[in-house]
Amino acid sequence: QVGAGAAHITFGDPDFFNGPRHAIAVVTGLARRWAGLSYDVTVKVEHLLRHADLLPLLRETGCLFVASAIESFDDEVLRRLEKGHTRADAARAITLCEEVGVPLAPTFVAFTPWTTPAGYGAFLQAIASLGVVARVPSIQLALRLLVPDGSRLLESHDVASLVAPFDAGRLVHPWRHTDPTVDALQRDVEQLVAGRAGAPREDVFADVVRLVELYTGAPLPLPPDVPARAAIPWLDEPWYC
């Protein structure tokens, strides 16, 4: 890739620190062989906390940012998804990365069978309170849980009772929420985001907040005067995990 002209490399392994010794050998070798080459990695929240001592080395070897599948700020949803972290863990990981100069780019599954309109509003409030609005690709505000064939989620009655037969064309089990309002909100958020392609993330976020207020019939207060964390580089086609 470097020989073909790449100046930045994305390591797509979602568990980059699953083998930290190997991961560090890769990035130190990368920096030694191609000085000035930048890269990004995807690391689980629990691994960011467990191997926080390695974060400075990522910065020193050219890492521009770390993507991490936070998925949700609702501890009950995180438990059901067996993510291995809590809302507090996610907030701590964002702060740790910030402190060493390797900013975290969070990704989410905003709509799940356990999402409620109020819970979605709380999700937006959490993004704002952590100051990461500009770091969240707008499409992340609309993403819906995918249930592939053989998913362990199908072992949960909550999910199994909602899914339709496997759709071989789409490679998923389509599902409907028990509250049709949530499905309607997801479709409207997706349509809104699609129609604002290229718009500043902060502006799209504000539009989504107003949409939620229409659905709930109440203002969605955002924390005042939260310093926005610095914007980070992003790819033309964002990588989702």
Side-chain angles (χ1 to χ4, degrees), residues 13-214:
D13 183 353
D15 292 335
F16 192 72
F17 273 177
N18 194 47
R21 181 181 300 177
H22 175 69
I24 292 305
V26 169
V27 297
T28 53
L30 191 79
R32 184 169 56 250
R33 184 170 179 181
W34 293 292
L37 180 71
S38 64
Y39 67 91
D40 64 271
V41 295
T42 300
V43 183
K44 297 170 66 173
V45 168
E46 61 183 291
H47 290 169
L48 288 171
L49 300 182
R50 187 181 308 159
H51 304 296
D53 59 312
L54 299 179
L55 294 177
L57 186 57
L58 292 184
R59 182 197 65 236
E60 293 162 9
T61 53
C63 185
L64 294 186
F65 62 91
V66 173
S68 191
I70 289 177
E71 311 296 35
S72 175
F73 289 114
D74 185 316
D75 282 338
E76 177 59 18
V77 173
L78 290 170
R79 183 189 69 79
R80 290 176 180 271
L81 295 177
E82 299 182 358
K83 284 301 300 179
H85 68 257
T86 65
R87 172 186 175 134
D89 291 336
R92 178 60 179 154
I94 291 172
T95 299
L96 281 173
C97 289
E98 191 75 13
E99 289 174 348
V100 301
V102 184
L104 189 147
T107 66
F108 302 100
V109 177
F111 290 91
T112 73
W114 311 285
T115 301
T116 65
Y120 184 75
F123 161 69
L124 298 178
Q125 289 173 316
I127 291 174
S129 68
L130 289 168
V132 295
V133 171
R135 295 187 181 176
V136 179
S138 298
I139 190 58
Q140 291 286 328
L141 306 177
L143 292 186
R144 182 181 180 90
L145 180 68
L146 297 179
V147 183
D149 191 30
S151 171
R152 287 187 58 196
L153 288 169
L154 295 170
E155 299 172 9
S156 165
H157 174 73
D158 289 352
V159 175
S161 62
L162 301 176
V163 300
F166 182 68
D167 184 331
R170 297 166 59 191
L171 298 178
V172 296
H173 286 274
W175 60 272
R176 292 183 180 180
H177 200 285
T178 54
D179 180 358
T181 301
V182 175
D183 288 338
L185 175 60
Q186 189 274 328
R187 289 191 297 268
D188 284 349
V189 172
E190 184 174 16
Q191 184 175 19
L192 186 158
V193 169
R196 298 295 310 278
R201 293 174 176 179
E202 297 90 340
D203 293 351
V204 179
F205 184 88
D207 289 343
V208 173
V209 168
R210 285 190 284 270
L211 179 61
V212 172
E213 291 175 335
L214 289 175

